[in-house]
């Protein structure tokens, strides 16, 4: 989350070099970003800003979208020649459920007893929360591990990991944290905001009446199935009794 923002313009952006009409940004305790142009009217770009490495080698990667356009607001004659530079988080997660949504980078690096390792589930420090109907910016907690997101609700385990850099819509299944409990299907829509370039990750309930996929077992035997390519870990194959179905 962009909690503190600093900017410096034009002077000593790099050692002994003066770069006119350029600026750098810093977020919280991060390093300074690479210089970017302030007078690029009609342009959109992205900055990556990193925090210093923590124990275990992890560092947070902030991704910021920069858009530049002339200020043409009516009634502001004093600023008619000003260039409006807008800084926005690259990713924004919108919770359209009726309960709190927890989301995090799927796997991060951690340290225990002096040894560094990659977690199989989201690390507590990497978890973000959005109340029902709210939206919040999202940043990658660990730049050294894959940039994949996963979701969690109060009574359910973590979902599988998925990519939020590609625009589209898909379903995500959450399994109950209780043995024998019901599963829940969520609809995830990833779309880009044309006004400032941010990517919205919108989470809502999927229709159980018309699910994206439905598996029906019309045999006299119990079948076991799982998603192809899913290795050993916290996700287990599902069993489907004879003459029953699931989504």
């Amino acid at each position: 989350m962009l909690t503190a923002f600093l900017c410096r313009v034009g002077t000593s952006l790099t050692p002994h070099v003066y770069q006119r009409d350029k600026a750098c940004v810093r977020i919280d305790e991060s390093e300074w970003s690479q210089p970017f142009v302030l007078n690029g009217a009609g342009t959109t770009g992205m900055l990556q800003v990193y925090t210093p490495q923590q124990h275990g080698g992890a560092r947070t990667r902030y991704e910021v979208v920069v858009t530049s356009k002339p200020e043409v607001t009516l009634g502001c004659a004093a600023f008619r020649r000003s260039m409006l530079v807008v800084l926005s988080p690259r990713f924004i997660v919108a919770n359209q459920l009726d309960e709190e949504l927890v989301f995090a980078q799927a796997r991060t690096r951690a340290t225990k007893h002096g040894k560094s390792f990659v977690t199989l589930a989201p690390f507590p420090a990497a978890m973000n929360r959005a109340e029902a109907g709210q939206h919040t910016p999202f940043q990658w907690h660990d730049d050294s591990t894959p940039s994949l997101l996963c979701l969690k609700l109060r009574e359910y385990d973590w979902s599988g990991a998925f990519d939020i850099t590609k625009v589209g819509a898909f379903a995500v299944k959450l399994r109950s944290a209780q043995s024998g409990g019901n599963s829940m299907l969520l609809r995830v829509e990833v779309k880009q905001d044309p006004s400032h370039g941010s990517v919205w990750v919108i989470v809502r309930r999927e229709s159980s009446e018309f699910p994206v996929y439905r598996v029906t077992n019309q045999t006299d035997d119990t079948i076991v199935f799982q998603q192809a390519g899913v290795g050993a870990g916290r996700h287990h194959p599902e069993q489907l009794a004879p003459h029953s179905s699931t989504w």
Side-chain angles (χ1 to χ4, degrees), residues 170-218:
F170 48 90
V172 173
K173 191 172 187 177
L174 275 64
R175 293 172 173 82
S176 173
Q178 305 298 325
S179 178
N182 295 325
S183 299
M184 177 182 290
L185 206 60
L186 299 180
R187 183 74 169 173
V188 178
E189 182 181 3
V190 181
K191 63 179 183 179
Q192 188 167 25
D193 190 329
S195 63
H196 53 70
S198 292
V199 174
W200 285 81
V201 183
I202 304 170
V203 182
R204 60 173 66 94
R205 286 184 182 273
E206 178 63 287
S207 170
S208 58
E209 183 178 0
F210 304 104
V212 179
Y213 299 105
R214 186 178 184 90
V215 179
T216 301
N217 179 12
Q218 295 183 352

Side-chain angles (χ1 to χ4, degrees), residues 54-88:
Q54 308 297 322
H55 297 294
R59 61 175 185 173
T60 299
R61 182 177 78 244
Y62 295 95
E63 295 184 343
V64 181
V65 179
V66 182
T67 56
S68 301
K69 57 184 179 180
E71 174 57 77
V72 294
T73 305
L74 297 178
C76 298
F79 303 104
R80 66 184 182 278
R81 294 187 299 174
S82 298
M83 184 69 64
L84 181 64
V85 180
V86 181
L87 301 170
S88 310

Side-chain angles (χ1 to χ4, degrees), residues 46-61:
M46 188 184 73
L47 298 176
Q48 293 185 338
V49 188
Y50 301 91
T51 62
Q53 286 190 341
Q54 308 297 322
H55 297 294
R59 61 175 185 173
T60 299
R61 182 177 78 244

Side-chain angles (χ1 to χ4, degrees), residues 101-160:
L101 174 69
V102 182
F103 54 98
Q105 187 173 356
R107 303 180 68 182
T108 55
R109 190 171 299 278
T111 302
K112 186 175 182 180
H113 303 309
K115 295 183 178 180
S116 177
F117 64 97
V118 176
T119 61
L120 292 178
F123 195 61
M127 296 181 190
N128 301 265
R129 300 175 186 273
E131 297 295 334
Q134 293 186 346
H135 60 269
T136 185
F138 173 75
Q139 311 295 343
W140 300 112
H141 182 76
D142 188 349
D143 180 58
S144 68
T145 55
S147 300
L148 299 173
L149 188 71
C150 58
L151 310 174
K152 188 183 188 312
L153 298 179
R154 184 183 55 170
E155 298 180 357
Y156 296 85
D157 288 331
W158 286 99
S159 73

